[in-house]
Amino acid sequence: MITSNPERIDKLTRAGVWGEDTLHQLLTHHVAERPDMLAVADQPNRKELTPGNNARLNFRELDQASDALATALLEAGLGADDRVIVQLPNIAELVVCYYAASKLGIVLSPIPVQYGAHELRHVAAEINAQALITCERFKSTMLAREAKSALPEIKILCWEKEIPTLAELVSAGPAEHSRVLDFQRQHPVTANHIVTICWTSGTTGTPKGVPRSHNMWLATAQGTAWAGDYQTGDRLLMPFPMVNMAALGGFLFSSALRGCSLVLHHPFDAELYLQQLQDEHINFSVAPPAVLNQLAKSPELWQSLDLSSLRAIGSGAAPLAPWMVERFEQDYGLQVINFYGSNEGISLHSTPATAPSPEIRATMFPRLGVPGLPWEGMRPGVITRVANPETGEVVTEPGIAGELLIAGPTVFDGYYGGNNEGVFSDSEFFRSGDLVEICGEAPAYPYYRIVGRCKDIINRGGMKISPTEIDLMIENFPGVAEAAVCAYPDERLGERVCACLVMADATPTPELGALQEWLLARGLAKFKLPERIQVLDALPRNALDKVQRNALTAIVEKLPT
């Protein structure tokens, strides 16, 4: 399956931003150059999560296992361009699946283990899936049984049942390799073939399938590897589910690109995560902003560990707190990198090289592809601009919120199924749905600041309020563990602002007046002040751990004021 038209392929290939490498061809290179180097390692508590023994595979073993799995998939009647759902936690078998699919030209559609029957049926119907690969269980959830119940019409391939154990795959002989090579000669896979269909987070509607080719993923991986300064032989700790941009572009494809060891983790367990950072001598990792905030407040914990191998740590999915970035830098001697990406192909990074100031790095991203700025040529082919979301008029002045548009080698061709009305502007620019402002020092104004989502905007009496900046401020309020604001209906103003808080243990709910005075003292405009506080046990999040603001509003509407 190829979604890019010949003109786009030719343009990006001639520009040198798309090439000929596929995921499995990169593996072949590493097998030749460093066969005994660690390729992938399970987390220590793997047996508590799912059946199977803890695995540590070198590149040669990863190649052998993916050959044997590819052969098993051929024997199951699967092959080039077939769409196969995979629902597995972060275990070595999932990595093997990606490489096996790449070798056969199978389009793999990874989904979170949290997806249930409703989501399974939706995904299978959308892509006309031929099979689903899973395991018996994840914790107490019986994945294989639930998949067979939800999707009786397609093949359900369960590890250690329909698929041999990982140990058996690793020990397979050369016959599997020969069969895979024979298949590849008849069905050649190029870098422009679609290798995955991932799914949007679905915070504003039904999840949409995002087809991405090897070239799209590797263009993203180039940026991540540059931002994290990945070196051959580095050890990368991946704590996010291997189903979307953060894990695939940030770790799977970039580790293949640079020849790095991939150490797995998930679901997130702070104590285990820190232990892995130390014991696995990790060079680079990422963590959610809330976790880094807590670590920044816990110097005794951080200093009790030997993290001398750690070169930098990344974060994203929400604005970072400048004080956290500064504390990591000054007290821990560790640089924090700010990542901003999406399955569709947004791929921006704020690093010490582009944003030396913690204040800038926490909240701003370089305006890539804009002529005359310092970043010209930094990410070849990536072009960004800002436009009025209603009129499409390009915004060039600072301080005016507009929709971020992006084009270039990282961007997909359109959602699976062809329903792409309004997705692109001028044919090539993806409309991100994210509101940004041009900012930074005059006269260049070289940065973007994310101010919210087009559909997240709170309309208080005609005054448009971006919630993310308020989230960030409230998260630093004493005793608050997590915070997110949302709209709630008001007869007079249309909408008002509610602060939804998760409090630290034994911390009482703050008085509304105290919170308002605290925010005013930090410069927040009065019309943006929360006019209601709602304490929750947890913020509603989707399977990819993003706060669902529409769900927050629904909760708040049902609760008494």
Side-chain angles (χ1 to χ4, degrees), residues 118-356:
H118 173 73
E119 291 84 5
L120 286 174
R121 285 192 286 265
H122 170 74
V123 169
E126 284 289 301
I127 65 173
N128 188 25
Q130 282 77 45
L132 180 145
I133 299 172
T134 189
C135 58
E136 182 182 2
R137 64 170 178 85
F138 175 70
K139 294 186 175 180
S140 61
T141 302
M142 306 307 291
L143 293 177
R145 185 178 68 194
E146 293 189 4
K148 290 176 181 177
S149 175
L151 302 172
E153 70 282 1
I154 72 172
K155 297 174 183 175
I156 307 298
L157 305 177
C158 182
W159 280 90
E160 303 195 7
K161 291 185 178 179
E162 290 81 8
I163 298 174
T165 67
L166 191 54
E168 290 170 330
L169 294 181
V170 169
S171 63
E176 285 78 3
H177 182 63
S178 297
R179 183 168 179 185
V180 171
L181 289 179
D182 288 341
F183 185 85
Q184 289 173 340
R185 281 189 282 268
Q186 298 175 52
H187 306 276
V189 178
T190 75
N192 295 307
H193 275 84
I194 296 300
V195 62
T196 63
I197 298 177
C198 296
W199 297 87
T200 60
S201 55
T203 55
T204 57
T206 304
K208 300 176 183 178
V210 180
R212 291 181 65 85
S213 69
H214 297 267
N215 265 328
M216 295 171 194
W217 276 125
L218 289 172
T220 298
Q222 288 278 10
T224 306
W226 170 82
D229 192 25
Y230 291 3
Q231 306 293 323
T232 299
D234 273 356
R235 290 183 170 226
L236 314 176
L237 178 58
M238 183 178 67
F240 294 150
M242 209 181 328
V243 299
N244 65 355
M245 169 67 80
L248 298 182
F251 289 87
L252 179 67
F253 280 83
S254 51
S255 67
L257 187 67
R258 289 287 187 265
C260 303
S261 302
L262 198 57
V263 180
L264 305 179
H265 180 98
H266 196 260
F268 195 85
D269 178 318
E271 183 177 352
L272 179 60
Y273 175 78
L274 291 173
Q275 197 65 43
Q276 284 183 281
L277 284 178
Q278 173 181 271
D279 295 349
E280 294 282 3
H281 306 288
I282 297 299
N283 304 110
F284 184 85
S285 186
V286 295
V291 172
L292 293 188
N293 288 348
Q294 290 303 311
L295 290 173
K297 297 175 181 177
S298 308
E300 312 85 10
L301 174 61
W302 187 267
Q303 291 160 5
S304 69
L305 299 165
D306 178 7
L307 301 176
S308 55
S309 297
L310 194 61
R311 184 171 57 244
I313 195 161
S315 194
L320 307 186
W323 65 266
M324 178 272 290
V325 176
E326 184 174 12
R327 187 162 299 175
F328 264 84
E329 191 170 292
Q330 293 184 357
D331 296 353
Y332 302 164
L334 198 67
Q335 302 286 0
V336 176
I337 297 171
N338 196 356
F339 288 91
Y340 166 39
S342 75
N343 284 328
E344 292 90 344
I346 302 172
S347 179
L348 301 180
H349 320 98
S350 196
T351 71
T354 62

Side-chain angles (χ1 to χ4, degrees), residues 470-494:
I470 309 174
D471 295 349
L472 186 60
M473 295 180 73
I474 297 176
E475 281 184 348
N476 207 28
F477 186 85
V480 171
E482 293 183 90
V485 301
C486 69
Y488 68 97
D490 180 78
E491 290 184 1
R492 186 171 68 87
L493 295 174

